[in-house]
Amino acid sequence: MARPDDFDPTLADLGLRIRAALAAADLPDIDPGFERPKQADHGDWASTLAMRLAKPAQRNPREIAQAVVDHLELPAAVDEVSIAGPGFLNFRFAPAYYADLVRAVVAAGADFGRSASSAQAGQTINVEFVSANPTGPLHLGAGRWAALGDALAELFEATGMTAVREYYVNDAGEQIRRFGESVVLVGTGQPLTEDHYRGAYIADIAEELRAIHGDALFADGLERAEEVGELAVEQMRSHIQETLHDLGVDYDVWYSERDGLHESGAIAATIEELRAQGNTYEQDGALFLKTAQHGDDKDRVIVRSDGRPTYFAADCAYMRDKWSRADHLYYLLGADHHGYVARLQAAAACLGIPSEAMEVRIGQLVNLLRDGEPVKMSKRSGELITLSEVVEEVGADVTRYHFLRQSVDTMVDFDLAVVAQQSMENPVYYVQYAHARISSLIRTADERDFAHGDLADAKLEVLDHPAEVELLKALAQLPEVVAEAAELRATQRLARYAEELAGTFHRFYAECRVLVDDQDVARARYWLAIAARQVLANALGLLRVSAPERM
């Protein structure tokens, strides 16, 4: 787990000094383990090391704490250390520490909050998400996985990894021929059977293909269904790509099952590799993969008795291909894929992929509502409402943020009437308004030349009002929050931090006028506002939500 002293040089220095004090007091060496006090008036950071040492040292915790204090040489950036309760060591930082923080934020700019804190820093992580079949438009549930996968990839990169966003295009198999048949039948005015795809989008695809390829494409009827299916899938993939782009999601790789696995021979090569390693056996003419020995509920068929590879064989080949391109694999799957987790993990074990190098997360469903009532049908088409319609109605920022502030493990109610409200009760509006308010304040200050020089000239030590100190402490938390959000795969931590930071700034704004006559105070508060705007923009940027300067 990421530690606060991984990001804060002052804390790191303090930790080393505490360990030196332990040695000087003839006490066992132990990690100080800094944490934030539950009550702000107790200080900036606390350590429970005295309680943790009580048993091994066989001494009273307060006595241990006092021994540490007696031998501790505090860094210049730490004002005082005190002992509280059963033996807590509480540390209060000096004003100079926060002055340096403002300068650090301004100097780092968009990079503040980023670090190489991940245990996999320097490695490549493949993040596969959405991967909906290209035989129909995306619905709202896919938007949740799109926002989440995209933001997680950004967090991985913010903690030192290289993230590859990948969409697996299932463009092979019987479904493609059936999709082609559906387009041909609708395009030539013939009735569909129960086996075919339905919906107004089928007619749209037929007309788009007719405009591109002419009537000749449909002249031979169902004889060219497979060819039409391939063209239709590519057309639908293009629409999916456009929908995701409108949501702010752009992939690095669109991986074709047909090209990458079937036509390349990757499936056959994977099957032979698994066979050669002794991970398969034959039974009733079929070839089974020994997945049960790796936690699956049964062994899985990878080659049918008629010699055709199964879809699971393609899953194995795809995993093998991704593993050749990355150091870590991350799958984000929808709620209907619970049964896939154990078999994917078992496949990884058979392929020799370390368990810690692959993750599979399952997310919960999305309920689409309007004023508390379920919405199932599109006003435009009379069918299921699509993701593109939702984004068009409420916007990409609103859609993304509402999903990202919820845990992937919880079911989400997405109420169109509620999420689009432009009020302070709407979390995304609340955060974005804070950024716009700061931007307005800075514009006004610049027009009146309140900065009066560079940051180096500002006397930031005058920032000692409780609202100022609270805001400074909030700014300092971003690197730690980013690391935790990445490590726990929890975008909601960053979203909730952004909301808390916005609230902290609003309180500062209400209690501390920036454009005051005292030039030292005005200049210090101006640069504090600059730093607050940067940190808020960075938090939103990592969620890939915009930070508007005007609203």
Side-chain angles (χ1 to χ4, degrees):
M1 188 72 176
R3 298 149 34 114
D5 46 326
D6 289 337
F7 322 107
D8 191 324
T10 298
L11 270 185
D13 181 27
L14 179 59
L16 292 175
R17 291 168 182 259
I18 289 173
R19 298 181 96 148
L22 288 170
D26 198 24
L27 288 165
D29 184 49
I30 189 174
D31 184 348
F34 297 109
E35 58 187 51
R36 297 188 185 279
K38 292 182 180 179
Q39 297 182 31
D41 59 356
H42 286 178
D44 296 296
W45 290 99
S47 173
T48 61
L49 70 86
M51 283 85 84
R52 287 182 279 127
L53 274 178
K55 188 173 182 180
Q58 295 185 333
R59 293 173 65 179
N60 180 279
R62 284 190 66 92
E63 182 184 327
I64 294 172
Q66 187 62 56
V68 172
V69 171
D70 290 343
H71 292 84
L72 180 60
E73 183 180 347
L74 291 175
V78 180
D79 247 359
E80 65 177 42
V81 56
S82 60
I83 302 171
F88 288 100
L89 286 171
N90 292 331
F91 301 91
R92 190 177 305 279
F93 283 8
Y97 169 83
Y98 292 108
D100 289 342
L101 171 68
V102 172
R103 293 188 174 95
V105 171
V106 174
D111 288 332
F112 183 77
R114 295 176 176 266
S115 66
S117 61
S118 171
Q120 292 83 36
Q123 296 183 7
T124 297
I125 182 169
N126 181 290
V127 186
E128 187 207 336
F129 55 106
V130 183
S131 296
N133 286 346
T135 52
L138 296 179
H139 296 295
L140 186 59
R144 184 180 192 185
W145 317 135
L148 185 59
D150 188 45
L152 283 175
E154 192 71 13
L155 284 170
F156 293 146
E157 294 198 326
T159 52
M161 303 183 75
T162 297
V164 176
R165 296 165 172 82
E166 185 152 322
Y167 192 115
Y168 178 69
V169 183
N170 183 203
D171 54 0
E174 174 63 20
Q175 66 168 353
I176 306 307
R177 185 193 58 78
R178 195 183 325 127
F179 188 39
E181 286 185 357
S182 305
V183 172
V184 169
L185 291 173
V186 169
T188 54
Q190 300 179 63
L192 297 169
T193 71
E194 293 182 356
D195 293 331
H196 292 117
Y197 292 94
R198 298 174 179 275
Y201 74 92
I202 297 292
D204 293 338
I205 292 294
E207 288 308 305
E208 289 171 12
L209 291 180
R210 192 188 304 276
I212 297 170
H213 302 282
D215 291 332
L217 183 65
F218 300 100
D220 298 324
L222 296 179
E223 291 183 14
R224 299 180 67 182
E226 187 170 346
E227 178 188 352
V228 172
E230 292 177 359
L231 294 171
V233 161
E234 182 54 31
Q235 197 70 9
M236 182 55 67
R237 190 202 65 79
S238 178
H239 287 303
I240 290 172
Q241 185 173 2
E242 182 180 354
T243 296
L244 292 168
H245 176 75
D246 290 342
L247 187 61
V249 180
D250 295 297
Y251 286 81
D252 301 300
V253 177
W254 290 82
Y255 190 94
S256 165
E257 179 192 355
R258 183 183 66 247
D259 296 340
L261 301 182
H262 293 272
E263 295 185 0
S264 70
I267 294 177
T270 302
I271 292 170
E272 286 309 307
E273 180 179 307
L274 292 168
R275 193 198 302 267
Q277 293 172 346
N279 288 314
T280 64
Y281 64 89
E282 292 188 19
Q283 182 176 306
D284 299 327
L287 187 67
F288 286 76
L289 185 62
K290 298 176 182 178
T291 52
Q293 66 184 12
H294 296 293
D296 199 1
D297 57 353
K298 63 180 180 179
D299 291 334
R300 301 286 171 179
V301 177
I302 55 174
V303 180
R304 301 178 180 90
S305 57
D306 63 5
R308 290 181 300 127
T310 62
Y311 192 81
F312 184 58
D315 285 341
C316 294
Y318 180 44
M319 183 183 295
R320 175 175 173 263
D321 182 270
K322 287 201 292 186
W323 181 240
S324 71
R325 299 181 277 120
D327 305 295
H328 199 94
L329 307 182
Y330 187 89
Y331 288 79
L332 181 59
L333 306 178
D336 57 341
H337 286 77
H338 276 284
Y340 282 79
V341 177
R343 74 186 71 170
L344 286 175
Q345 292 171 335
C350 291
L351 288 165
I353 300 173
S355 59
E356 66 273 13
M358 191 190 78
E359 298 175 66
V360 184
R361 287 298 300 271
I362 298 291
Q364 294 302 311
L365 298 173
V366 178
N367 297 318
L368 183 61
L369 310 170
R370 190 186 297 277
D371 291 321
E373 296 297 322
V375 178
K376 295 182 179 180
M377 308 303 285
S378 165
K379 293 180 180 179
R380 185 180 305 169
S381 65
E383 297 161 355
L384 287 175
I385 192 166
T386 64
L387 173 60
S388 61
E389 290 177 282
V390 171
V391 173
E392 183 180 337
E393 179 172 341
V394 304
D397 284 344
V398 169
T399 305
R400 289 181 67 105
Y401 193 89
H402 189 74
F403 287 143
L404 295 176
R405 71 186 302 269
Q406 312 288 337
S407 168
V408 67
D409 301 316
T410 62
M411 189 174 292
V412 172
D413 287 336
F414 193 97
D415 193 312
L416 292 164
V418 173
V419 300
Q421 288 180 353
Q422 293 190 359
S423 71
M424 298 297 271
E425 285 72 40
N426 185 338
V428 64
Y429 181 85
Y430 183 73
V431 176
Q432 289 182 319
Y433 177 72
H435 187 273
R437 171 180 260 185
I438 302 172
S439 297
S440 175
L441 170 64
I442 292 169
R443 282 195 301 273
T444 301
D446 288 344
E447 289 168 2
R448 301 181 187 181
D449 195 25
F450 261 84
H452 294 301
D454 297 330
L455 174 57
D457 302 324
K459 297 180 180 179
L460 298 173
E461 293 79 6
V462 303
L463 297 172
D464 57 2
H465 186 283
E468 295 168 337
V469 174
E470 182 188 15
L471 181 55
L472 285 162
K473 289 181 178 181
L475 301 183
Q477 293 177 31
L478 180 63
E480 182 185 354
V481 172
V482 171
E484 288 183 353
E487 191 166 355
L488 298 173
R489 285 44 171 155
T491 60
Q492 71 272 16
R493 292 205 171 202
L494 185 55
R496 300 306 170 101
Y497 166 78
E499 292 165 32
E500 291 169 5
L501 178 58
T504 303
F505 177 81
H506 288 313
R507 288 190 292 275
F508 159 77
Y509 187 83
E511 296 183 32
C512 301
R513 286 186 58 232
V514 174
L515 309 184
V516 294
D517 293 335
D518 187 321
Q519 290 300 299
D520 288 342
V521 172
R523 187 180 303 166
R525 288 177 177 173
Y526 170 87
W527 286 108
L528 175 57
I530 290 280
R533 181 175 66 169
Q534 185 67 67
V535 172
L536 200 54
N538 290 0
L540 287 171
L542 289 167
L543 296 171
R544 296 173 66 80
V545 172
S546 70
E549 296 196 357
R550 289 180 170 84
M551 291 184 70

